């Protein structure tokens, strides 16, 4: 097995060991060979993201003057099997980082594409990215960039927004209501007193599993100062508004009928200005259902769906010294849209 000396902050530690074996053998037996490598994925209408990070990685970890780089721009809509990055030169100058680049592109392209699909389903309504609890915190800056490439603007964390306070979503968590013995009004009074300049006062209204009752209670106190209410009913719960409904079993979690009844109650109590934000288990399918039923939602909060890594990238060696040769089933694919990096 190939051994290499560990160096502090050496990014080669992220490389699969067999690439070092290939590098050693190619350098020994085929030192003058010029290899052409192309990166692609297999989903139609994906949103390419991570290419800037990949190029920056190559710039920091290789001498990019020694080989050719061609790429598609960040945010490009890409097709299945379409080359998004092409590297050409001596293998020893870049080849071992094949897997690292695949991983960079896979994560960010998956997240950007997921976010874009949510945007399409929402038909112009705002979406808040709420993925902080769905993955390791260290990824928040990268993932925040990816959702913005797709078109999302609002974030739940400062890291996701890369320290842009203007796009942070403000609300409260359930624990704050719990600390005020379940009294939402008292919790919101404390919030307003502590943050008097907060423009968007948003109450979380599902703590007691009675969103109409809690929404009207905060509306009565804060009136026009109440910007919105957020409904986060768990999928294993049925709101108390359905307690006497013969179809009660149909209305678990956040559902269109719940939001329609909430909107009606707000409107009838001088709350037409109050926006309704929904979260808990939303994805393109659920958003599309809500939109199909003309559900009066103003903002969707989406978390773990966006972080599903469902697009994988592959890198193939497709030319050797200008001659097309590749693993059976693969081939060189010319892409006129590729830009030269160097």
């Amino acid at each position: 097995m190939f051994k290499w000396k560990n160096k502090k902050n050496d990014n080669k530690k992220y490389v699969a060991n067999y690439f070092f074996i290939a590098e050693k053998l190619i350098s020994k037996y085929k030192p003058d060979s010029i290899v052409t490598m192309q990166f692609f994925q297999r989903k139609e209408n994906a949103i390419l993201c991570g290419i800037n990070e990949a190029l920056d990685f190559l710039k920091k970890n290789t001498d990019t003057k020694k080989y050719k780089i061609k790429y598609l721009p960040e945010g490009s809509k890409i097709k299945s099997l379409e080359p998004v990055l092409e590297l050409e030169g001596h293998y020893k100058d870049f080849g071992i980082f094949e897997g690292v680049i695949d991983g960079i592109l896979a994560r960010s392209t998956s997240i950007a594409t997921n976010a874009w699909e949510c945007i399409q389903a929402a038909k112009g309504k705002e979406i808040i990215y709420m993925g902080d609890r769905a993955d390791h915190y260290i990824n928040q800056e990268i993932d925040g960039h990816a959702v913005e490439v797709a078109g999302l603007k609002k974030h739940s964390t400062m890291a996701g927004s890369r320290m842009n306070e203007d796009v942070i979503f403000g609300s409260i968590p359930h624990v704050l209501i719990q600390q005020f013995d379940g009294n939402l009004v008292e919790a919101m009074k404390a919030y307003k007193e502590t943050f008097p300049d907060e423009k968007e006062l948003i109450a979380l209204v599902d703590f007691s599993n009675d969103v109409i009752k809690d929404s009207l209670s905060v509306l009565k106190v804060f009136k026009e100062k109440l910007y919105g209410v957020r409904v986060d009913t768990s999928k294993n719960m049925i709101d108390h508004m359905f307690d006497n409904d013969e179809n009660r079993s149909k209305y678990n979690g956040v559902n269109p009928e719940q939001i329609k009844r909430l909107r009606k109650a707000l409107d009838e109590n001088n709350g037409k200005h109050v926006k309704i934000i929904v979260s808990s288990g939303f994805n393109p399918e659920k958003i599309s259902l809500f939109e199909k039923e003309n559900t009066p939602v103003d903002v969707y909060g989406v978390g773990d769906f966006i972080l599903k890594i469902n697009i994988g990238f592959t890198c193939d060696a497709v030319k050797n010294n200008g001659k097309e040769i590749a693993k059976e089933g693969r081939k060189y694919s010319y892409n006129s849209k590729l830009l030269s990096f160097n």
Side-chain angles (χ1 to χ4, degrees):
M1 180 175 288
F2 180 81
K3 301 291 184 181
W4 57 279
K5 294 181 180 179
N6 189 13
K7 298 179 182 178
K8 189 176 182 181
N9 299 323
D10 187 350
N11 282 324
K12 290 183 178 179
K13 65 187 176 184
Y14 299 109
V15 173
N17 194 69
Y18 50 69
F19 289 124
F20 293 113
I21 295 173
E23 179 187 42
K24 188 174 183 66
L25 295 179
I26 292 172
S27 295
K28 181 178 179 180
Y29 294 102
K30 303 289 182 178
D32 298 322
S33 290
I34 300 297
V35 61
T36 303
M37 303 176 75
Q38 292 185 321
F39 295 78
F40 64 91
Q41 54 83 51
R42 295 177 176 83
K43 180 177 173 63
E44 296 293 345
N45 296 318
I47 305 299
L48 176 63
C49 190
I51 195 72
N52 289 350
E53 183 184 355
L55 294 173
D56 186 59
F57 181 91
L58 288 171
K59 191 172 181 179
K60 290 178 178 177
N61 293 278
T62 71
D63 185 350
T64 55
K65 295 178 182 178
K66 292 184 175 181
Y67 59 98
K68 296 178 182 179
I69 302 174
K70 293 182 179 180
Y71 68 99
L72 288 182
E74 193 93 320
S76 298
K77 186 177 287 187
I78 56 176
K79 300 180 294 185
S80 174
L81 304 179
E82 179 178 12
V84 303
L85 178 65
E86 183 176 297
L87 307 177
E88 185 174 273
H90 296 114
Y91 186 86
K92 63 182 177 62
D93 291 327
F94 60 85
I96 62 170
F97 293 118
E98 168 187 332
V100 173
I101 295 171
D102 281 335
I104 291 172
L105 296 177
R107 182 179 188 88
S108 289
T109 299
S110 291
I111 291 170
T113 303
N114 293 340
W116 182 79
E117 290 177 351
C118 289
I119 291 171
Q120 300 308 300
K123 297 181 178 179
K125 292 182 179 177
E126 186 175 51
I127 294 177
I128 301 166
Y129 173 53
M130 305 175 71
D132 52 285
R133 69 183 60 191
D135 202 353
H136 199 288
Y137 73 91
I138 201 69
N139 296 314
Q140 287 188 21
E141 286 90 346
I142 293 171
D143 298 345
H145 166 74
V147 300
E148 288 184 8
V149 166
L152 294 194
K153 298 178 181 178
K154 283 277 190 176
H155 298 266
S156 61
T157 74
M158 289 296 290
S161 72
R162 274 86 71 232
M163 308 308 289
N164 182 359
E165 294 182 1
D166 294 336
V167 296
I168 294 296
F169 165 69
S171 182
I172 61 171
H174 292 106
V175 64
L176 180 63
I177 306 171
Q178 185 251 11
Q179 287 295 298
F180 283 85
D181 295 322
N183 190 320
L184 175 61
V185 171
E186 291 303 311
M188 295 308 296
K189 283 181 178 179
Y191 180 91
K192 187 62 177 174
E193 181 180 337
T194 305
F195 305 102
D197 298 327
E198 180 64 60
K199 295 179 181 179
E200 297 184 355
L201 185 66
I202 301 172
L204 180 60
V205 294
D206 63 281
F207 186 87
S208 300
N209 197 37
D210 197 335
V211 301
I212 289 179
K213 179 181 177 181
D214 278 354
S215 296
L216 295 183
S217 70
V218 289
L219 175 60
K220 182 178 180 180
V221 173
F222 295 99
K223 299 180 174 61
E224 72 282 350
K225 293 180 181 178
L226 181 64
Y227 175 84
V229 293
R230 178 162 72 96
V231 181
D232 191 52
T233 307
S234 173
K235 64 181 180 180
N236 66 329
M237 300 292 289
I238 299 174
D239 193 286
H240 286 306
M241 71 171 72
F242 300 112
D243 282 353
N244 299 315
D245 195 305
E246 62 180 9
N247 295 315
R248 184 176 184 276
S249 61
K250 294 169 51 179
Y251 300 126
N252 60 296
V254 184
N255 62 83
E257 181 62 23
Q258 176 197 37
I259 302 306
K260 290 176 181 178
R261 293 188 189 187
L262 172 60
R263 181 76 272 167
K264 184 174 185 293
L266 288 168
D267 291 352
E268 291 175 348
N269 288 272
N270 299 312
K272 291 184 178 180
H273 64 283
V274 178
K275 295 186 180 296
I276 298 178
I277 299 101
V278 294
S279 54
S280 186
F282 278 87
N283 55 31
E285 290 72 29
K286 189 170 182 178
I287 294 172
S288 293
L289 170 64
F290 272 56
E291 290 301 304
K292 182 179 179 181
E293 297 196 16
N294 296 314
T295 310
V297 170
D298 295 290
V299 182
Y300 292 98
V302 186
D304 61 345
F305 169 80
I306 288 178
L307 289 174
K308 294 183 185 302
I309 311 303
N310 46 29
I311 295 176
F313 273 78
T314 297
C315 174
D316 279 337
V318 290
K319 283 186 180 182
N320 188 37
N321 294 321
K323 177 184 177 182
E324 292 190 24
I325 180 170
K327 169 185 174 181
E328 186 170 348
R330 309 285 171 79
K331 63 179 181 178
Y332 173 77
S333 180
Y334 175 72
N335 188 351
S336 61
K337 295 184 290 183
L338 292 173
L339 305 177
S340 294
F341 180 71
N342 47 11

